[in-house]
Amino acid sequence: MPELPEVEVVRAGLAPAVTGARIAAVDVLDVRALTRHDPSSGDFEQLATGATIGAAVRRGKFLWLPLDSAGGPRAIVGHLGMSGQLLLRTPDHPGDDRHARIRLHLEHPAHGELRVDFVDQRTFGSLAVDRLVPTADAEIAGFSGEATGEWARLVPTQVAHIARDPLDPAFDDDLFFHRMSRRASGVKRVLLDQGLISGIGNIYADESLWAVALHGEQPASSLTRRRRLDLLRAVRDVLGKALVEGGTSFDEQYVNVNGESGYFAHSLNAYGRAGLPCPRCGTPMVREAFMNRSSHRCPRCQRLRRPRAARGR
DNA sequence: CGAAAGACCTGAGTGC
DNA sequence: TGCACTCAGGTCTTTC
């Protein structure tokens, strides 16, 4: 499942190939890939065709390509959902992809013709052309490597409500701690709430909680400031390590080959380890139902600690 | 505003 | 062989 590190690998792989490229043509093979596109603003193909891409930008799990199109600043916004891939290909790559949804035919001044294929088996991902609006805090909208431009402090409308991710220099730690303190729900739910902190999915939530020995159902408001600091540090550590592994394991070949390989190449301490010994204490890990999905934890290290007042009988 | 539940979607795997 | 079911889960929408 693409979370922040995986999306960043895609962004970094795409950036040198698409920056400065002109979109010569667009093929929409499956309209379900446009579910996030607002047709009242114009037709996706028409808005994208002829535009030149300024960069590849990411916030959390959202990715966007600012366009130089007329009629106000816009971008192609992408979300990979659960199974989406953005694959960089040569123009003659066979079109036999069963799950290819959208193709962008590009002309790059230095690299010539190339193609970006949006491939998505489960169709939870999508592309859209969206307007860019100023960021609420006037800071840089997202991560775009070294690239910069007039789009730098503009964010797609559909990403505006998404919180900054914890690797963003403009992420406000104290704001996050404050909002956390007002949440009675479990701390895992808070980590997955993209409106509070973005980029974390089920895998890295479980990994981060394991790293600081926290139970996911522990009420967020019950954590001391010290625990919150530890947790945020663990989140950054887990995401950062996955990013390094993702970067080294697929290198620049990644987008040319296969977006899925390498997603789980890094070592996991909790996710998917039900029945296996906890790497810290050796106790068999457990898998529990959580919000229509699964949580993985060590029943010994990660125990629920009820607040004193609520500890009954 | 927060919290929780439902909807969306396809393919692999399992049990009968 | 076929059928029903479960699981994978990110985000948006609805309801309270």
Side-chain angles (χ1 to χ4, degrees):
Chain A
M1 275 39 70
E3 301 180 29
L4 186 156
E6 290 77 25
V7 179
E8 175 53 27
V9 170
V10 172
R11 189 209 66 76
L14 232 39
V18 305
T19 301
R22 178 177 165 276
I23 302 172
V26 176
D27 298 331
V28 177
L29 308 175
D30 189 331
V31 293
R32 291 178 300 176
L34 294 178
T35 49
R36 303 179 78 101
H37 180 78
D38 177 9
S40 72
S41 65
D43 184 70
F44 177 86
E45 293 97 313
Q46 285 177 7
L47 288 168
T49 304
T52 297
I53 298 170
V57 192
R58 181 194 53 75
R59 174 188 291 199
K61 306 171 196 171
F62 282 84
L63 192 60
W64 66 93
L65 311 174
L67 305 176
D68 71 341
S69 50
R74 296 184 201 270
I76 295 179
V77 188
H79 196 289
L80 302 179
M82 286 182 58
S83 54
Q85 299 171 276
L86 283 166
L87 303 175
L88 194 57
R89 290 173 160 167
T90 56
D92 60 342
H93 187 96
D96 58 356
D97 243 320
R98 201 166 153 202
H99 304 301
R101 309 298 185 194
I102 293 175
R103 290 200 190 107
L104 305 179
H105 299 270
L106 306 184
E107 290 171 359
H108 194 282
H111 307 134
E113 293 183 22
L114 46 105
R115 220 170 80 194
V116 173
D117 287 4
F118 179 64
V119 179
D120 187 16
Q121 181 208 103
R122 276 175 259 187
T123 73
F124 275 21
S126 63
L127 299 185
V129 175
D130 191 13
R131 283 186 307 116
L132 293 172
V133 295
T135 53
D137 56 10
E139 298 290 342
I140 303 294
F143 184 68
S144 58
E146 301 296 304
T148 190
E150 291 174 6
W151 40 263
R153 291 168 200 272
L154 302 177
V155 64
T157 64
Q158 59 181 262
V159 184
H161 71 289
I162 299 295
R164 292 182 175 281
D165 63 65
L167 303 186
D168 186 331
F171 183 87
D172 187 336
D173 292 16
D174 287 328
L175 176 63
F176 175 62
F177 295 146
H178 177 67
R179 297 175 79 176
M180 217 175 158
S181 69
R182 298 188 307 172
R183 290 294 181 100
S185 53
V187 62
K188 179 166 177 180
R189 220 175 269 269
V190 168
L191 289 182
L192 294 176
D193 187 338
Q194 308 296 303
L196 292 186
I197 184 169
S198 68
I200 305 170
N202 202 38
I203 298 170
Y204 296 116
D206 281 0
E207 291 301 305
S208 302
L209 291 168
W210 179 87
V212 292
L214 261 176
H215 192 305
E217 297 291 349
Q218 190 73 40
S221 54
S222 75
L223 300 187
T224 61
R225 181 173 173 85
R226 178 74 207 169
R227 293 292 266 163
R228 285 173 218 171
L229 282 165
D230 288 345
L231 178 60
L232 183 55
R233 191 177 301 125
V235 165
R236 288 186 168 128
D237 186 54
V238 166
L239 293 178
K241 280 182 178 158
L243 196 50
V244 170
E245 291 185 36
T248 53
S249 66
F250 354 143
D251 225 12
E252 60 207 315
Q253 298 173 356
Y254 161 69
V255 270
N256 290 330
V257 191
N258 175 359
E260 274 183 331
S261 65
Y263 273 3
F264 301 99
H266 47 273
S267 54
L268 297 170
N269 288 310
Y271 184 84
R273 288 182 49 84
L276 297 173
C278 168
R280 184 166 41 221
C281 75
T283 304
M285 310 274 293
V286 297
R287 183 174 73 119
E288 295 164 329
F290 168 78
M291 286 171 73
N292 260 344
R293 61 198 74 177
S294 296
S295 283
H296 308 77
R297 69 177 178 96
C298 170
R300 183 174 172 195
C301 300
Q302 299 171 265
R303 282 187 238 183
L304 192 58
R305 295 171 198 284
R306 295 189 185 281
R308 260 185 122 58
R311 195 177 286 165
R313 342 157 159 255

